[in-house]
Amino acid sequence: MSAAVVLMAYGSPERLADVPEYYADIRGGRPIRPELLEDLVERYRRLGIEDESPLNAITEQTRAALERELDDVQVFTGMKHWTPRIGDAANRAVASGAHTVVGLVLAPHYSALSIAGYREQLEAALAARAELAFIESWHDESGFVELLADRVRGSDAHVVFTAHSLPERILGMGDPYKDQLLETSRLVADAARLDDWSFSFQSESPTGEPWLGPDILDHLEDLHGSGVRKVLVCPVGFVADHLEIRWDLDHEAAEKARELGLQFARIGMPNAEPRFVEVLAALVRRALSVPSKA
Ligand code: FEC
């Protein structure tokens, strides 16, 4: 039976002029304060995104590498907040003759406020035209854990695992997001035999409600206050070099560390490297051996 993969990512504006439409998509029609839009445009400008996005290019490299690794299964990219849309990818997968579609998100941890949105878009677009094998989370996938462990093993720095924050209300919803993040962090720390590590959130948005903390910027201050002088950041909640890595960590958190006199570094992201693509391929193969109904 033929199968295809819809490989999903958050998406990024292709050029600077796209930022307002992209931000509007993220806000889902809710109003955007002009100063927040200006600030976002400025962040993208400073990352060098004028006419093309190096960030979307990474997703395409990952897609192509996964397709090569899987050999006889086509892989289509679908973005949550930009083009190509998840719906377009679903249509292309069905048009390719696939009877089973594997839905794989390039984010390892499940939340009703993140992964569920990808699933809804994919299910709606497939409209039962193909069987869906959706991978809900892969936060404890051994190849992923080992890949990260290899990047922090032997470090003499205090390792800070990070992930995107979400509104605090998810805790009252029984959402597994935070537990899964802590589990990945613990698994990586155990595999790398780390004693000196902690977890913090990053990239909180000013939406007017409380978000999960501690935020990395406050956390760096606390670490400094408790005597830490060297930090290595391992962003377990992300897999690619995008805005949240290159701005929130490489710019904002690095600057905070400089102010505090902390040595600061972060691990290299998996992006499209062969070892990471093998992890993705293993997830797809497993999903195809036990397809679930949409
Ligand atoms: O590189 C890029 O261009 C895109 C980087 C990017 C990634 C990403 C991942 C996640 N987000 C998650 C949750 C939220 C929630 C809101 C929110 C807002 C933004 C904004 C930008 C943005 N996010 Fe994001 N996110 C990325 C980029 N995110 C830009 C809007 C400006 C700002 O607030 O800074 C709040 C929405 C609202 O206003 O209501 C919630 C989660 C992830 C990790 C999982 C995933 O990748 O899907 C969770 C990458």
Side-chain angles (χ1 to χ4, degrees):
M1 196 169 60
S2 55
V5 177
V6 172
L7 182 69
M8 290 168 279
Y10 200 84
S12 185
E14 194 52 37
R15 54 191 70 78
L16 214 50
D18 296 331
V19 176
E21 194 185 334
Y22 170 72
Y23 199 174
D25 194 278
I26 292 176
R27 294 287 294 165
R30 280 166 303 128
I32 299 170
R33 297 209 308 272
E35 66 275 21
L36 293 182
L37 175 59
E38 271 170 39
D39 177 65
L40 185 61
V41 170
E42 188 53 24
R43 276 184 270 157
Y44 280 112
R45 187 196 308 281
R46 299 214 12 215
L47 290 187
I49 299 165
E50 294 285 343
D51 300 321
E52 61 184 296
S53 160
L55 312 177
N56 286 337
I58 295 170
T59 311
E60 171 51 23
Q61 284 159 18
T62 311
R63 184 208 65 77
L66 179 60
E67 195 168 73
R68 278 196 302 275
E69 180 72 26
L70 289 170
D71 221 8
D72 55 350
V73 178
Q74 278 188 276
V75 182
F76 302 93
T77 300
M79 307 284 200
K80 194 181 199 183
H81 294 296
W82 200 244
T83 57
R85 292 272 168 188
I86 291 172
D88 300 332
N91 289 337
R92 293 181 65 203
V94 171
S96 76
H99 295 115
T100 302
V101 168
V102 176
L104 174 58
V105 184
L106 286 169
H109 305 86
Y110 183 87
S111 169
L113 294 192
S114 66
I115 304 301
Y118 290 90
R119 182 177 190 137
E120 274 162 28
Q121 287 192 32
L122 183 55
E123 271 182 1
L126 283 177
R129 290 177 295 163
E131 190 169 22
L132 174 62
F134 190 88
I135 300 166
E136 297 263 334
S137 73
W138 42 277
H139 66 287
D140 54 357
E141 183 68 15
S142 58
F144 179 56
V145 168
E146 273 305 322
L147 186 154
L148 296 180
D150 283 354
R151 288 181 189 187
V152 296
R153 188 175 290 112
S155 171
D156 62 347
H158 176 94
V159 174
V160 182
F161 298 103
T162 67
H164 204 294
S165 184
L166 278 174
E168 230 173 59
R169 65 188 145 88
I170 64 161
L171 296 180
M173 295 158 52
D175 197 271
Y177 187 63
K178 189 175 173 187
D179 288 344
Q180 289 190 358
L181 290 168
L182 293 177
E183 191 179 354
T184 307
S185 307
R186 187 185 49 74
L187 288 170
V188 173
D190 286 353
R193 297 183 183 279
L194 294 181
D195 294 324
D196 192 19
W197 64 274
S198 56
F199 176 85
S200 82
F201 287 98
Q202 60 165 92
S203 311
E204 155 180 338
S205 293
T207 56
E209 60 179 327
W211 283 57
L212 295 170
D215 182 78
I216 178 85
L217 301 183
D218 300 328
H219 191 55
L220 290 176
E221 277 189 16
D222 289 347
L223 288 174
H224 184 262
S226 60
V228 171
R229 293 293 174 264
K230 195 172 182 184
V231 160
L232 174 63
V233 176
C234 176
V236 290
F238 301 109
V239 297
D241 284 309
H242 44 55
L243 182 77
E244 316 300 74
I245 298 295
R246 290 184 46 204
W247 186 264
D248 297 356
L249 292 179
D250 295 356
H251 181 79
E252 279 184 353
E255 192 169 286
K256 178 70 161 185
R258 242 189 327 273
E259 278 166 27
L260 291 165
L262 268 178
Q263 275 189 59
F264 180 93
R266 72 156 168 91
I267 63 156
M269 302 306 286
N271 290 321
E273 72 180 63
R275 192 172 164 193
F276 178 56
V277 172
E278 276 169 29
V279 172
L280 298 178
L283 288 165
V284 170
R285 288 194 196 100
R286 198 168 324 128
L288 281 173
S289 65
V290 218
S292 63
K293 274 273 173 217

Short mmCIF file of all heavy atoms in Angstrom, two decimals, residues 15-21 50:
data_model
loop_
_atom_site.label_atom_id
_atom_site.label_comp_id
_atom_site.label_asym_id
_atom_site.label_seq_id
_atom_site.Cartn_x
_atom_site.Cartn_y
_atom_site.Cartn_z
N ARG A 15 10.12 36.48 3.13
CA ARG A 15 10.85 37.74 2.98
C ARG A 15 10.28 38.75 3.97
O ARG A 15 9.20 38.54 4.53
CB ARG A 15 10.76 38.25 1.54
CG ARG A 15 9.36 38.38 1.01
CD ARG A 15 9.35 38.63 -0.49
NE ARG A 15 9.77 37.44 -1.21
CZ ARG A 15 9.00 36.37 -1.45
NH1 ARG A 15 7.75 36.35 -1.00
NH2 ARG A 15 9.44 35.33 -2.10
N LEU A 16 11.01 39.85 4.15
CA LEU A 16 10.63 40.82 5.17
C LEU A 16 9.20 41.33 4.99
O LEU A 16 8.46 41.51 5.95
CB LEU A 16 11.63 41.99 5.14
CG LEU A 16 11.94 42.64 6.47
CD1 LEU A 16 12.33 41.61 7.53
CD2 LEU A 16 13.06 43.65 6.29
N ALA A 17 8.82 41.53 3.72
CA ALA A 17 7.48 42.07 3.44
C ALA A 17 6.37 41.11 3.88
O ALA A 17 5.21 41.51 4.00
CB ALA A 17 7.35 42.35 1.94
N ASP A 18 6.71 39.84 4.13
CA ASP A 18 5.70 38.85 4.53
C ASP A 18 5.40 38.87 6.02
O ASP A 18 4.46 38.21 6.47
CB ASP A 18 6.18 37.42 4.19
CG ASP A 18 6.35 37.19 2.70
OD1 ASP A 18 5.64 37.85 1.92
OD2 ASP A 18 7.21 36.36 2.33
N VAL A 19 6.22 39.58 6.79
CA VAL A 19 6.11 39.46 8.26
C VAL A 19 4.72 39.85 8.78
O VAL A 19 4.16 39.12 9.62
CB VAL A 19 7.24 40.24 8.99
CG1 VAL A 19 7.06 40.18 10.50
CG2 VAL A 19 8.61 39.65 8.60
N PRO A 20 4.09 40.95 8.29
CA PRO A 20 2.75 41.28 8.83
C PRO A 20 1.73 40.16 8.62
O PRO A 20 0.98 39.81 9.54
CB PRO A 20 2.36 42.54 8.04
CG PRO A 20 3.67 43.15 7.64
CD PRO A 20 4.60 41.99 7.39
N GLU A 21 1.74 39.57 7.41
CA GLU A 21 0.76 38.50 7.12
C GLU A 21 1.06 37.25 7.97
O GLU A 21 0.16 36.57 8.46
CB GLU A 21 0.84 38.18 5.63
CG GLU A 21 -0.33 37.36 5.13
CD GLU A 21 -0.14 36.98 3.66
OE1 GLU A 21 0.57 37.70 2.92
OE2 GLU A 21 -0.69 35.92 3.27
N GLU A 50 15.87 39.50 4.10
CA GLU A 50 15.30 40.59 3.30
C GLU A 50 14.46 39.97 2.18
O GLU A 50 13.25 40.16 2.14
CB GLU A 50 16.42 41.46 2.71
CG GLU A 50 17.22 42.23 3.75
CD GLU A 50 16.48 43.45 4.35
OE1 GLU A 50 15.49 43.90 3.76
OE2 GLU A 50 16.92 43.92 5.42
#
